[in-house]
Amino acid sequence: MTKNWKSPKQFVCLFTQKAKILFNEEPAALTPKKVYLVLANLVKDLIYDDWLATEQRYDARQTKQVYYFSIEFLLGRLLDANLMNCGMENMAREGLKELGFDLDAIMPLEADPGLGNGGLGRLAACFIDSLAALQLPGHGCSIRYQYGLFEQHIVDGQQVELPDTWLQDGFPWETKRSDKAVHVRYGGSAYMRPDGKGGLECVHEGYSSVLAIPYDVPVPGYRNHTVNTLRLWQAEYTPDGLFGQGQGGDFRKVLQYRDTTQQISRFLYPDDSTEEGRKLRLMQEYFFVSAGLQSIVRHYRGQHRDLREFDRYVALHINDTHPALLIPELMRILMDEEGMGWEEAWRITVASTSYTNHTIMPEALERWSIPLFQSLLPRVYLIVEELNRRWLAAYRRKFPGREDKAEQVAILWGGQVRMANLAVVGSHSVNGVAELHTKILEESTLHPFYEVYPERFNNKTNGVTHRRWLLESNPPLAALISDTIGTDWIRHPKKLKELLPYRDDPSFQEKLAQVKQDRKDALVRWIQETRGVAVDPHSLFDIQIKRFHMYKRQLLNILHVYSLYLRLLDDPDAVPLPQTFLFGGKAAASYGEAKVVIKLIHTVARLIDQEPRVREKLKVLFLENYNVSLGQRLFPAADVSEQISTASKEASGTGNMKFMMNGAITLGTLDGANVEIHRLVGDENCVIFGLRAEEVQKYYREGGYSSWDLYRQDEEIRRVLDVFQKNPLFSQLYEDLLRRNDEYFVLKDFAAYREAHQEILRRYQDRPGWLRASAVNIAQSGHFSSDRTVSQYARDIWKVKPIRV
Ligand code: GL4
């Protein structure tokens, strides 16, 4: 039975008790940070009973469970979400008030766990939220990074990276489970020898072993008593990790082993859509996959089930290729530890495993050098080698004489292990994350695999949890929706559609306008308080927040703003209404060009601020250290959502969905999930511009575009590119656009983008028309709830069913 708080008075009582237990202090003496910690611990108590009950229920029902392996879970703060899920937010608010504290002032004190880079990691966090909300038996598996994604500071317009010390005050939501630790092996040598029964067995010797300790984080569903688990593994050194392997005694070696071990879960690689080919990264990937799988198999055995039925009870999902070693690791366990033969182990492995691809950017395709892979994971390598041999033999039988194709599908080739090929061959399902992206996978990126296994390919368009991104982030909008159509939409987000009949209702429109203004005012206040910058709350808020990447084209956005600046210099009436352009996002520390774009944004922002003729109409602001909690402030305040990637490059995007849910109008290319947003809301309710994906791909294939020609023909483009003369730092961008022929079609799409902005301004001046569009976007956004996405995975791929707790 859950010990819900019955009254604010009882809350005060429990709080006082907890403050004593944790800090030996009276509530009145607590610092605000300690108030947060006491409250978080109280909420955790609420969750705990249900957590154990959920686990017991799953075991008793012998139900199939899914494990979502992802090297990133970008959780964001948990206090607000957990209070909401338990339905205890008001009680906490009242109780704290009695104690003289303000919940809204306490919540921002929570560290924002940034255990992910961007879309991919945040998607994983949305998925575990939806799994629990839908009462699906599904858990997350990842790494407990001591340092999350770096903190971004801006110094003199440039990005500086500082370590993210999110664990400094402890992480109250986790439970360390030392008793469930396992060992993960690295190095040594592996070979096959006769097993004395007419077969072969593998010997792996001389390895070092790392202790993997799980820290479990509860994942509560929305007011439904289901509590699933996110298991985060931490690497620890054990004094005997080298002993028993014939390596003891060499003190230098022991120290080196200790240092490497402690590095494994030290930090998150700060790259998004780029390859990070480092030994430590490979160690991380094997670390959480091996530890996670060992613990799943151990639990499975504990249930006295037959491992030959593994795939009936367990679904394993690999989120992008980072966990793809799960495939050979499961083979290893089934063969070496369970004594199965190759064929049987292989059947079980493929039947259990499914894979999602998240990008077609070739530089993001993971490849490992064979010598590195082999020396670090000798036993796993033997399995991959055998797998590659069998797979290529089968492939050559199917396509005799087609060595060109065999080369494309090989797992081992050119001295490298190709993780995407391993993932496809070893999974029964391969999906893309939006319709267009899946089509590109089938027709080009993974086409040779699609020819062999068309039935494996399917699409699952991404979604975001409307509980965090609407209910929690935008309470006034949530309240307006509930006042208008009732509260059913919270459990059934498709029902947001019931707003459609109100889209032209003047009284609804007026309230919607008020909500938006209220959120813009709140953001303006926050910017003033924290950054000391004034923003006009009545200007149009045009927002681009996402990782910095050349294909996402923040460059196109800022060049366009600069063109507005130039026009306003000539004619102060060139722009009909004041606009604020907000940017936020981090660039990978090693991504030079992206960092230059950040500098350019700051440069243009200063030019504008210094120019009285312009600054009344234009404002550019870069908000540093974009993360989940900043996103929660920004999405509700947006009028326009910038989704302007080069068509074909953005696999899906999920920020586009969060903006839509909060009533912003998309200004975008037909890329990723924008295609589906456009189809749902229609031309009247979003503004689409620019090259289509097929056109982009045709130019790549056949040529026919010259950015120089465009530069010569278009006077505005010529004037705009002058901005680069101002600072030698920018010569790199100039080179990209002109000498390297504008790989991402920034100049090619410039005129269409300018037009699209003019269209936005025309529409914005028609208030009823704009508010109608805003309402239609909210009404149609239910389709992009991750509840829809996760139900589709559950039904089509994982075959797991809801279990009431
Ligand atoms: C990404 C895609 O770039 C992004 O479009 C997508 O929404 C996200 C989740 O599917 O995955 N792929 C990589 S890599 N990082 C991402 O954010």
Side-chain angles (χ1 to χ4, degrees):
M1 198 204 65
T2 309
K3 313 171 285 224
N4 271 350
W5 311 323
K6 300 285 182 290
S7 64
K9 208 169 138 230
Q10 192 205 7
F11 173 88
V12 169
C13 207
L14 290 168
F15 189 97
T16 309
Q17 215 174 26
K18 195 58 122 190
K20 270 191 213 143
I21 296 170
L22 289 178
F23 299 113
N24 193 29
E25 280 175 24
E26 295 289 345
L30 295 173
T31 61
K33 190 58 149 283
K34 285 181 178 168
V35 174
Y36 158 70
L37 288 169
V38 173
L39 178 58
N41 276 281
L42 279 183
V43 176
K44 194 162 83 169
D45 290 349
L46 288 184
I47 296 172
Y48 264 55
D49 279 351
D50 284 341
W51 199 6
L52 186 58
T54 302
E55 217 175 285
Q56 289 168 343
R57 181 76 194 217
Y58 291 164
D59 287 346
R61 291 282 291 269
Q62 299 265 309
T63 177
K64 185 174 188 183
Q65 304 191 42
V66 57
Y67 298 88
Y68 195 85
F69 282 74
S70 177
I71 202 154
E72 304 188 359
F73 279 85
L74 187 43
L75 296 172
R77 291 182 179 137
L78 294 179
L79 175 59
D80 199 5
N82 285 343
L83 275 171
M84 176 182 76
N85 284 322
C86 299
M88 285 292 126
E89 181 152 359
N90 286 336
M91 201 70 84
R93 188 177 297 281
E94 291 302 308
L96 283 180
K97 210 160 130 194
E98 288 193 15
L99 289 162
F101 300 113
D102 173 9
L103 180 59
D104 292 325
I106 296 300
M107 284 195 296
L109 301 177
E110 178 174 6
D112 185 326
L115 310 186
N117 274 285
L120 178 144
R122 182 55 229 176
L123 186 79
C126 284
F127 278 14
I128 52 174
D129 181 80
S130 284
L131 279 165
L134 296 167
Q135 301 206 288
L136 289 164
H139 314 283
C141 182
S142 191
I143 297 173
R144 183 179 185 268
Y145 301 103
Q146 192 181 341
Y147 300 98
L149 184 58
F150 64 86
E151 224 178 74
Q152 178 194 54
H153 286 237
I154 301 294
V155 178
D156 197 17
Q158 274 169 308
Q159 170 176 300
V160 174
E161 301 93 25
L162 294 181
D164 164 46
T165 54
W166 71 291
L167 281 172
Q168 205 160 42
D169 300 309
F171 183 49
W173 306 107
E174 68 187 1
T175 298
K176 181 175 183 178
R177 309 195 106 169
S178 305
D179 57 315
K180 296 197 186 289
V182 299
H183 288 270
V184 177
R185 297 172 181 183
Y186 295 99
S189 57
Y191 57 90
M192 307 303 291
R193 69 167 179 216
D195 63 1
K197 293 178 256 165
L200 291 172
E201 65 179 9
C202 182
V203 183
H204 184 190
E205 57 194 14
Y207 54 82
S208 46
S209 115
V210 171
L211 194 63
I213 301 186
Y215 288 70
D216 287 351
V217 181
V219 185
Y222 182 73
R223 301 181 189 181
N224 62 11
H225 300 292
T226 292
V227 181
N228 291 331
T229 301
L230 169 61
R231 179 160 281 185
L232 302 175
W233 294 92
Q234 172 160 300
E236 276 183 28
Y237 140 78
T238 53
D240 57 354
L242 287 179
F243 300 139
Q245 305 305 324
Q247 302 178 81
D250 183 340
F251 192 62
R252 265 203 355 252
K253 235 176 161 179
V254 173
L255 284 184
Q256 197 188 15
Y257 153 77
R258 188 196 60 188
D259 291 346
T260 318
T261 305
Q262 292 174 338
Q263 284 293 331
I264 294 176
S265 50
R266 183 89 56 160
F267 76 97
L268 169 83
Y269 276 89
D271 276 280
D272 190 68
S273 310
T274 61
E275 182 188 15
E276 188 50 76
R278 298 271 310 282
K279 177 176 173 197
L280 196 55
R281 172 76 168 193
L282 182 56
M283 291 185 89
Q284 289 187 333
E285 294 185 358
Y286 184 64
F287 174 70
F288 85 103
V289 158
S290 175
L293 208 45
Q294 287 184 57
S295 83
I296 291 165
V297 170
R298 183 179 54 198
H299 180 77
Y300 186 95
R301 282 206 206 93
Q303 302 284 302
H304 309 294
R305 290 186 197 139
D306 185 342
L307 265 148
R308 281 167 303 191
E309 290 189 322
F310 189 71
D311 54 298
R312 269 186 59 191
Y313 296 104
V314 176
L316 303 168
H317 197 84
I318 56 185
N319 193 33
D320 218 277
T321 55
H322 323 120
L325 293 176
L326 201 139
I327 291 158
E329 178 66 359
L330 183 53
M331 291 294 285
R332 182 189 70 77
I333 294 174
L334 294 177
M335 294 190 304
D336 296 1
E337 293 177 18
E338 302 296 327
M340 275 184 203
W342 181 279
E343 276 78 16
E344 190 172 36
W346 185 243
R347 184 199 63 72
I348 293 168
T349 300
V350 175
S352 317
T353 310
S354 48
Y355 158 59
T356 299
N357 173 289
H358 289 270
T359 181
I360 60 154
M361 301 298 284
E363 63 266 35
L365 288 183
E366 283 193 299
R367 293 153 198 266
W368 299 108
S369 97
I370 290 180
L372 168 71
F373 192 105
Q374 194 173 14
S375 68
L376 199 61
L377 308 169
R379 174 54 182 141
V380 171
Y381 181 73
L382 285 179
I383 293 170
V384 173
E385 205 173 40
E386 175 64 9
L387 170 56
N388 183 57
R389 193 185 65 73
R390 289 175 183 242
W391 158 241
L392 280 185
Y395 192 84
R396 287 179 172 129
R397 278 196 297 278
K398 202 170 162 93
F399 295 100
R402 294 299 306 269
E403 271 314 285
D404 54 326
K405 287 184 141 190
E407 173 179 344
Q408 286 176 44
V409 299
I411 298 168
L412 301 178
W413 198 273
Q416 292 182 315
V417 185
R418 297 158 160 182
M419 297 288 270
N421 294 9
L422 171 63
V424 177
V425 172
S427 303
H428 66 277
S429 166
V430 177
N431 75 281
V433 291
E435 287 172 16
L436 175 64
H437 171 231
T438 301
K439 183 168 173 275
I440 294 172
L441 290 180
E442 291 176 355
E443 291 177 359
S444 76
T445 317
L446 297 178
H447 183 68
F449 294 100
Y450 181 64
E451 281 183 319
V452 183
Y453 298 123
E455 71 289 349
R456 289 189 182 184
F457 284 74
N458 62 94
N459 177 57
K460 295 286 169 283
T461 297
N462 283 165
V464 302
T465 166
H466 61 288
R467 285 167 294 275
R468 178 173 292 257
W469 295 109
L470 176 48
L471 199 54
E472 179 191 327
S473 306
N474 198 343
L477 180 57
L480 171 60
I481 297 170
S482 297
D483 286 348
T484 312
I485 59 170
T487 55
D488 277 4
W489 66 274
I490 298 171
R491 282 182 199 275
H492 307 285
K494 279 237 162 77
K495 293 203 172 177
L496 284 169
K497 265 202 187 144
E498 291 170 11
L499 284 173
L500 279 177
Y502 297 90
R503 63 186 180 274
D504 285 311
D505 178 334
S507 119
F508 176 76
Q509 284 197 353
E510 191 186 322
K511 290 180 205 149
L512 185 57
Q514 268 167 19
V515 166
K516 184 60 80 181
Q517 193 56 56
D518 173 75
R519 296 294 80 197
K520 288 167 76 170
D521 291 343
L523 178 63
V524 166
R525 276 196 306 276
W526 180 82
I527 291 174
Q528 180 71 57
E529 280 161 21
T530 58
R531 325 263 155 144
V533 176
V535 172
D536 173 5
H538 299 292
S539 59
L540 181 156
F541 282 18
D542 179 302
I543 307 188
Q544 186 170 19
I545 38 176
K546 49 183 81 239
R547 286 303 287 259
F548 271 75
H549 216 296
M550 296 317 280
Y551 83 78
K552 296 180 189 278
R553 298 200 296 190
Q554 285 93 351
L555 180 57
L556 174 60
N557 187 344
I558 195 62
L559 288 180
H560 170 256
V561 175
Y562 184 66
S563 78
L564 294 179
Y565 162 84
L566 292 175
R567 255 184 276 162
L568 280 166
L569 284 183
D570 297 343
D571 168 14
D573 296 321
V575 173
L577 51 98
Q579 299 174 71
T580 299
F581 292 89
L582 293 161
F583 291 85
K586 297 176 185 177
S590 57
Y591 198 161
E593 286 157 295
K595 291 172 115 174
V596 176
V597 176
I598 292 178
K599 172 73 184 166
L600 180 61
I601 292 171
H602 284 90
T603 306
V604 172
R606 259 192 62 191
L607 278 176
I608 292 173
D609 284 344
Q610 288 167 348
E611 186 51 67
R613 281 172 295 171
V614 178
R615 65 183 175 219
E616 299 298 307
K617 282 285 176 64
L618 285 188
K619 175 84 193 161
V620 171
L621 192 58
F622 184 97
L623 293 169
E624 66 189 357
N625 202 37
Y626 175 57
N627 58 9
V628 174
S629 39
L630 180 51
Q632 292 186 240
R633 293 181 193 278
L634 289 167
F635 290 111
D639 295 308
V640 173
S641 153
E642 295 268 356
Q643 306 300 334
I644 59 177
S645 52
T646 310
S648 78
K649 298 287 183 188
E650 189 70 88
S652 160
T654 44
N656 45 6
M657 302 167 185
K658 295 165 197 167
F659 278 115
M660 176 191 189
M661 227 169 233
N662 284 279
I665 307 304
T666 304
L667 165 52
T669 48
L670 281 183
D671 198 15
N674 298 353
V675 175
E676 289 155 76
I677 292 177
H678 171 246
R679 191 188 309 139
L680 273 171
V681 303
D683 279 325
E684 323 81 74
N685 301 305
C686 63
V687 176
I688 297 296
F689 76 98
L691 290 176
R692 307 302 194 240
E694 315 85 69
E695 295 172 302
V696 167
Q697 288 175 323
K698 190 153 181 269
Y699 279 125
Y700 284 140
R701 264 198 324 270
E702 301 169 14
Y705 166 52
S706 156
S707 59
W708 267 115
D709 290 349
L710 208 60
Y711 180 77
R712 280 192 217 102
Q713 290 152 19
D714 189 315
E715 201 202 319
E716 185 158 31
I717 287 184
R718 266 203 314 280
R719 277 190 75 194
V720 164
L721 293 201
D722 278 354
V723 71
F724 297 132
Q725 310 303 326
K726 302 206 158 48
N727 189 331
L729 246 184
F730 301 140
S731 60
Q732 194 179 1
L733 299 178
Y734 191 80
E735 294 268 318
D736 281 354
L737 292 177
L738 293 174
R739 277 188 239 293
R740 299 174 59 201
N741 204 32
D742 187 13
E743 184 181 355
Y744 297 109
F745 301 96
V746 170
L747 301 185
K748 181 81 184 154
D749 273 344
F750 189 82
Y753 185 57
R754 183 173 56 205
E755 279 297 306
H757 266 286
Q758 281 161 2
E759 176 64 16
I760 286 281
L761 292 183
R762 273 194 293 277
R763 293 192 195 182
Y764 192 71
Q765 285 165 289
D766 162 18
R767 291 308 286 158
W770 186 269
L771 291 164
R772 182 204 307 126
S774 177
V776 170
N777 272 276
I778 299 166
Q780 296 290 11
S781 70
H783 179 70
F784 296 106
S785 166
S786 45
D787 289 6
R788 187 265 310 149
T789 315
V790 164
S791 312
Q792 291 174 335
Y793 276 91
R795 185 193 64 202
D796 302 343
I797 301 178
W798 303 327
K799 319 281 184 204
V800 295
K801 297 212 169 67
I803 302 282
R804 279 175 170 282
V805 178

